[in-house]
Amino acid sequence: MPFDPTRVDCWIFDLDYTLYPPACGLFGQIDQRMGQFIANLLGCDAQEARRVQKMYFHDHGTTLAGLMHYHAIDPREFLDFVHDVDMTVLAKAPRLAERIMALPGRRLIFTNGDRPYAERVLEALGLDGCFEGMWDVVAMDYKPKPEPSAYHGLIEAFGFDPERAVFVEDSARNLPPAKALGMQTVWLDCASEWGDRAKDDAAIDLVIDDLPLWLDTLAPELAGSAALG
C-alpha cells in the first residue's frame, strides 16, 4: 500500500543522518573516536581497529553491542568517549523544526545513541522541544535496532498503536522490524556509506532523500485531512 500520512498519529524519527545530513561531519567524528577507543582497548593499529569496528557494527547492530558481547566493556565509558565531539558542525534547522511541530499527533525519537548525546544534537539543531519523548540505546537495554525487542519496548513505553505510526530512518536495515509490527516506514536515502545495507524493499513504504522537503509536501495533505475531519 502507498504511504498514507492521514492515518498517522505517531511520528517516529531516527536521529543520526535523519535529522541532520551526513555532510556536516558529526558522525565522522564519532566514527573516528570509536576507532580510537577500539585501538586503545585492543592495543592494535588504526586499520585493525576499523576492521573490528565495522565487523561489530554489521554483526551486532552497533559497535557498542559488539564490544559488550566480546569484551564486556562498560557501555557508559564507551558512550561518553565516542560522543565527546564538536556540535558546532550542526546548523540550526528552523524550517525542519516548524514542520515537525506542525505534524498532527505524537512525535518521538528512536535512536541507537544515548539520551545525553541525542539531547545535545537536538539542541544544536534547534529541535529541542519538538519531541514528546525518546527511546535510546540505554532504554533498549543496549539491544539496539534492528533487534525486535527495541521496537516492542518503544511501543510499550509510549503506548501507541503501531498501525497508526510511521518510522523515518536512514538505515534501511532498521525498517523491517517496524514494518512487521504494522508501522508505515519511510527510508531517508541520504547516500550514506551504510544506509542501504540489508535493504528490504518490501519493508519500505516510501523512499525520500530530503526530510524537510518531504515534510513540506505533506503539509497540504495533512491540512486538508484535518479540515475534512
Side-chain angles (χ1 to χ4, degrees), residues 96-118:
L96 179 58
E98 180 182 357
R99 285 307 187 198
I100 290 174
M101 289 297 291
L103 293 171
R106 308 173 74 182
R107 302 176 298 274
L108 304 172
I109 294 290
F110 186 24
T111 176
N112 280 349
D114 68 341
R115 180 179 291 273
Y117 162 75

Side-chain angles (χ1 to χ4, degrees), residues 7 10-14 110 144-155 160-187 200 202-205:
R7 66 181 182 93
C10 187
W11 303 79
I12 305 165
F13 295 86
D14 175 51
F110 186 24
K145 300 176 290 183
E147 287 290 333
S149 61
Y151 303 75
H152 287 286
L154 170 72
I155 293 168
F160 60 86
D161 179 356
E163 295 193 357
R164 294 188 59 81
V166 61
F167 180 36
V168 184
E169 160 78 69
D170 73 285
S171 184
R173 71 176 182 175
N174 291 337
L175 294 174
K179 184 66 176 175
L181 289 167
M183 297 184 204
Q184 296 192 79
T185 56
V186 176
W187 179 41
D200 178 0
I204 300 172
D205 292 313

Side-chain angles (χ1 to χ4, degrees), residues 4-226:
D4 180 4
T6 64
R7 66 181 182 93
V8 175
D9 62 17
C10 187
W11 303 79
I12 305 165
F13 295 86
D14 175 51
L15 183 79
D16 292 309
Y17 287 179
T18 299
L19 297 182
Y20 66 82
C24 74
L26 179 66
F27 206 81
Q29 296 181 58
I30 296 171
D31 194 57
Q32 186 275 328
R33 291 189 67 79
M34 285 193 286
Q36 185 179 342
F37 184 95
I38 293 170
N40 294 343
L41 177 71
L42 302 183
C44 62
D45 62 22
Q47 183 175 355
E48 174 62 10
R50 183 165 182 81
R51 185 193 70 79
V52 170
Q53 175 189 346
K54 298 308 176 185
M55 178 178 67
Y56 289 172
F57 171 73
H58 292 305
D59 292 349
H60 294 272
T62 62
T63 301
L64 171 59
L67 287 168
M68 292 178 67
H69 178 79
Y70 291 111
H71 306 284
I73 68 160
D74 175 0
R76 186 74 266 157
E77 180 183 354
F78 173 85
L79 290 167
D80 289 345
F81 183 87
V82 303
H83 288 152
D84 183 14
V85 292
D86 177 16
M87 293 285 173
T88 63
V89 298
L90 296 176
K92 297 290 185 184
R95 174 178 158 217
L96 179 58
E98 180 182 357
R99 285 307 187 198
I100 290 174
M101 289 297 291
L103 293 171
R106 308 173 74 182
R107 302 176 298 274
L108 304 172
I109 294 290
F110 186 24
T111 176
N112 280 349
D114 68 341
R115 180 179 291 273
Y117 162 75
E119 288 177 343
R120 290 173 62 211
V121 170
L122 293 176
E123 182 179 6
L125 293 170
L127 301 180
D128 45 331
C130 289
F131 299 93
E132 170 191 333
M134 179 187 305
W135 199 241
D136 74 337
V137 73
V138 180
M140 298 173 205
D141 195 26
Y142 301 105
K143 298 177 178 65
K145 300 176 290 183
E147 287 290 333
S149 61
Y151 303 75
H152 287 286
L154 170 72
I155 293 168
E156 182 178 353
F158 291 99
F160 60 86
D161 179 356
E163 295 193 357
R164 294 188 59 81
V166 61
F167 180 36
V168 184
E169 160 78 69
D170 73 285
S171 184
R173 71 176 182 175
N174 291 337
L175 294 174
K179 184 66 176 175
L181 289 167
M183 297 184 204
Q184 296 192 79
T185 56
V186 176
W187 179 41
L188 174 57
D189 181 7
C190 57
S192 61
E193 184 179 3
W194 310 106
D196 62 354
R197 182 62 61 97
K199 179 166 71 76
D200 178 0
D201 290 330
I204 300 172
D205 292 313
L206 183 67
V207 180
I208 63 172
D209 60 12
D210 186 311
L211 180 61
L213 179 60
W214 175 61
L215 294 177
D216 282 345
T217 65
L218 286 185
E221 187 173 357
L222 291 171
S225 175

